[in-house]
Amino acid sequence: PTDFAQSHLNTAPERVSSGQWDGFVGVPSLHVWGSADKLITPDQSRAVTAYYSNFRVHEHEGGHHVPMKAASIAEYEQMIEDALSTTRPIFQDSASASFPSAATPEIPATPDEETSQMQQDEVEALTAIYPQEFHLLSNTSENESGEVVYQHPIRYRMDLIAADEDIHDLEGVWPPHPIAIQVVYPHNYPQDALPLFQLVHENNMLQFSSAQ
């Protein structure tokens, strides 16, 4: 999973307040507090940031609650986007502009001939079963016999709700924007490893959460 943190309504723990904590949290973090918070004052929340080395602050005008106005949601989304671009992303989608992009994982090893054939057979089966939903993202070539040769690692996207589906024009459809699963085959799949999965969509956290 990607490393980043978001902090709401927190205050310095006893060890921090008493000066007994000498460590730092290095993951990207967003600290949110209200300027009118009486339960945990802004000064208390601000004190926590002294123990983070890669943080940003969003101070809203309210009290002790998580702000959900557009400006605050934009801060959350920007923090997550920045963290994903600087920590450990999963995929690169070069086939469609309808889905957000991420980077290709480092999978240096090439599968052996038997494993390569098993992966290719599975991809061809998925292509036949789901011709509209399946999109191969990795490259292919042809050998001297005219047979398709898959370059590794094999990567593809499976649309759960495609960008061109008519349901996006219907009121009340959930989620309202396209959603897909992107898959990467490690060199030792399926014998010793599972595929790497990523849920990819452009819905905001109110429309659809990746945890749902």
Side-chain angles (χ1 to χ4, degrees):
T2 301
D3 290 335
F4 60 86
Q6 190 158 331
S7 176
H8 292 285
L9 314 178
N10 67 346
T11 186
E14 183 177 352
R15 290 179 60 201
V16 172
S17 301
S18 62
Q20 297 176 8
W21 176 264
D22 58 0
F24 288 89
V25 178
V27 297
S29 58
L30 173 65
H31 300 257
V32 182
W33 62 75
S35 59
D37 194 339
K38 303 300 182 182
L39 182 60
I40 299 176
T41 67
D43 287 342
Q44 289 176 306
S45 293
R46 192 174 294 109
V48 176
T49 64
Y51 299 90
Y52 288 77
S53 60
N54 185 9
F55 71 92
R56 66 179 66 182
V57 168
H58 174 54
E59 184 169 351
H60 59 93
E61 297 179 352
H64 191 75
H65 67 273
V66 178
M68 296 302 292
K69 292 184 178 180
S72 295
I73 291 176
E75 288 283 347
Y76 307 153
E77 293 176 338
Q78 187 63 54
M79 183 270 173
I80 293 172
E81 289 176 3
D82 292 346
L84 289 174
S85 68
T86 57
T87 52
R88 295 183 294 172
I90 307 294
F91 279 91
Q92 173 82 31
D93 182 355
S94 58
S96 172
S98 298
F99 293 90
S101 299
T104 305
E106 295 183 6
I107 307 180
T110 300
D112 58 40
E113 184 176 352
E114 180 182 0
T115 301
S116 178
Q117 187 61 53
M118 293 174 67
Q119 294 183 1
Q120 179 173 329
D121 290 345
E122 181 170 280
V123 167
E124 291 177 350
L126 290 171
T127 303
I129 298 171
Y130 303 102
Q132 302 300 320
E133 296 85 357
F134 183 89
H135 304 276
L136 185 67
L137 303 180
S138 52
N139 296 323
T140 61
S141 60
E142 289 188 0
N143 59 22
E144 296 179 354
S145 302
E147 297 173 332
V148 176
V149 177
Y150 288 76
Q151 295 187 14
H152 297 276
I154 291 177
R155 301 182 299 116
Y156 60 85
R157 188 187 80 239
M158 186 72 73
D159 291 344
L160 304 181
I161 298 179
D164 57 354
E165 287 192 28
D166 295 336
I167 62 171
H168 299 298
D169 297 326
L170 301 178
E171 185 177 354
V173 172
W174 179 90
H177 300 296
I179 184 168
I181 294 176
Q182 291 189 17
V183 182
V184 171
Y185 286 167
H187 73 281
N188 52 350
Y189 168 79
Q191 295 94 332
D192 301 313
L194 295 174
L196 304 178
F197 295 96
Q198 184 185 26
L199 191 63
V200 182
H201 61 89
E202 294 181 330
N203 299 278
N204 64 40
M205 65 179 65
L206 296 181
Q207 295 168 329
F208 182 79
S209 168
S210 295
Q212 288 178 291

